[in-house]
Amino acid sequence: MNFPEILEKRRAVNYFDPERDVEQQLLKKIVEQAAKAPSSYNLQPWKLKVVRDKERKQALRALAFDQPKVTEAPVILILLADCEGWKLEKSTVENVFNDFVESGKMQAEQKEWFAGVTQGLYGRDEMAAQAFANKNTGLFAMSLMYAATANGLESHPMDGFDHEAVRKEFNIPDNYWIPMLIAIGYLKPGTQVPPKGWRESFEDMIIE
């Protein structure tokens, strides 16, 4: 499937086949492909909670306005945007800096400078930190859905849920914002997917 075909094929479907699972190896492949998404300084401030257990999905459905797809899809991904993902003490940030040094992009003695840059850009206040986390996790989320489509799966992003209740139910630390849930699975047999809806044209989107 080439990229234009992926763009056309990807839909936010509402009806998943509850009898057909997504193999763990396939899910791993999709997540690792999606992780090639761009991020600020390559800091990758995202994490996932994978919900497969029927009882846990039922609990999540109750907090997501009783959307049936939460329990019908074999996999629900809770996307976590790390508002502290710019801090040097994070293992991801440490690994990114070490990679910069190994590739010659930075020198080892620039570590404190790098910490100051990321703090100044992304940690200067609460709003900047959340914007940093959410913007980058949004790039990852879109890549997840494209990767799912490319691998023969369907997906649906959801922002209709009680954020704080989900945080409490799934023991999510305070440094994470939850931008969305993504349902992943196979289309329910017999489901007719309507054509894609209207999209703005190039001219519609450009503001002079």
Side-chain angles (χ1 to χ4, degrees), residues 143-155:
S143 292
L144 270 171
M145 290 181 279
Y146 285 144
T149 299
N151 285 279
L153 296 169
E154 306 291 348
S155 63

Side-chain angles (χ1 to χ4, degrees), residues 162-178:
D162 186 327
H163 185 279
E164 291 309 310
V166 171
R167 178 192 297 286
K168 183 177 179 181
E169 178 68 29
F170 289 87
N171 299 312
I172 295 169
D174 290 341
N175 58 295
Y176 292 111
W177 182 258
I178 311 170

Side-chain angles (χ1 to χ4, degrees), residues 39-47 82-101 106 110-119 122 132 175:
S39 62
S40 304
Y41 273 102
N42 197 33
L43 295 178
Q44 305 163 62
W46 52 67
K47 291 288 186 284
D82 189 355
C83 298
E84 296 180 354
W86 51 270
K87 292 185 175 182
L88 194 61
E89 59 264 29
K90 292 280 183 174
S91 61
T92 305
V93 181
E94 180 77 17
N95 289 336
V96 166
F97 180 75
N98 290 339
D99 182 62
F100 284 161
V101 172
M106 289 187 184
Q110 290 181 282
K111 195 169 188 177
E112 287 191 17
W113 172 85
F114 182 61
V117 168
T118 58
Q119 195 280 331
Y122 315 124
F132 155 75
N175 58 295

Side-chain angles (χ1 to χ4, degrees), residues 57 59 93 179 187 203:
K57 286 196 292 182
V93 181
L187 188 66
E203 291 75 18

Side-chain angles (χ1 to χ4, degrees), residues 35-207:
K36 299 185 187 302
S39 62
S40 304
Y41 273 102
N42 197 33
L43 295 178
Q44 305 163 62
W46 52 67
K47 291 288 186 284
L48 294 169
K49 271 191 175 284
V50 180
V51 186
R52 286 182 173 275
D53 178 77
K54 289 183 179 180
E55 289 185 5
R56 300 307 289 145
K57 286 196 292 182
Q58 194 65 54
L60 183 58
R61 175 172 169 170
L63 305 176
F65 307 137
D66 199 33
Q67 296 180 70
K69 56 184 165 284
V70 176
T71 50
E72 291 175 358
V75 177
I76 303 294
L77 302 176
I78 303 177
L79 270 74
L80 306 177
D82 189 355
C83 298
E84 296 180 354
W86 51 270
K87 292 185 175 182
L88 194 61
E89 59 264 29
K90 292 280 183 174
S91 61
T92 305
V93 181
E94 180 77 17
N95 289 336
V96 166
F97 180 75
N98 290 339
D99 182 62
F100 284 161
V101 172
E102 289 173 13
S103 65
K105 295 176 183 176
M106 289 187 184
Q107 302 300 312
E109 55 268 25
Q110 290 181 282
K111 195 169 188 177
E112 287 191 17
W113 172 85
F114 182 61
V117 168
T118 58
Q119 195 280 331
L121 288 172
Y122 315 124
R124 62 185 180 273
D125 56 42
E126 186 176 332
M127 183 179 293
Q130 185 166 321
F132 155 75
N134 286 353
K135 287 178 197 177
N136 288 285
T137 303
L139 295 172
F140 174 60
M142 194 68 253
S143 292
L144 270 171
M145 290 181 279
Y146 285 144
T149 299
N151 285 279
L153 296 169
E154 306 291 348
S155 63
H156 193 121
M158 294 172 273
D159 63 359
F161 59 94
D162 186 327
H163 185 279
E164 291 309 310
V166 171
R167 178 192 297 286
K168 183 177 179 181
E169 178 68 29
F170 289 87
N171 299 312
I172 295 169
D174 290 341
N175 58 295
Y176 292 111
W177 182 258
I178 311 170
M180 69 187 79
L181 315 174
I182 298 181
I184 292 181
Y186 294 93
L187 188 66
K188 185 175 182 179
T191 301
Q192 295 296 317
V193 180
K196 274 189 182 254
W198 172 83
R199 295 294 194 274
E200 283 192 302
S201 69
F202 174 82
E203 291 75 18
D204 291 330
M205 288 184 274
I206 302 302
I207 296 178

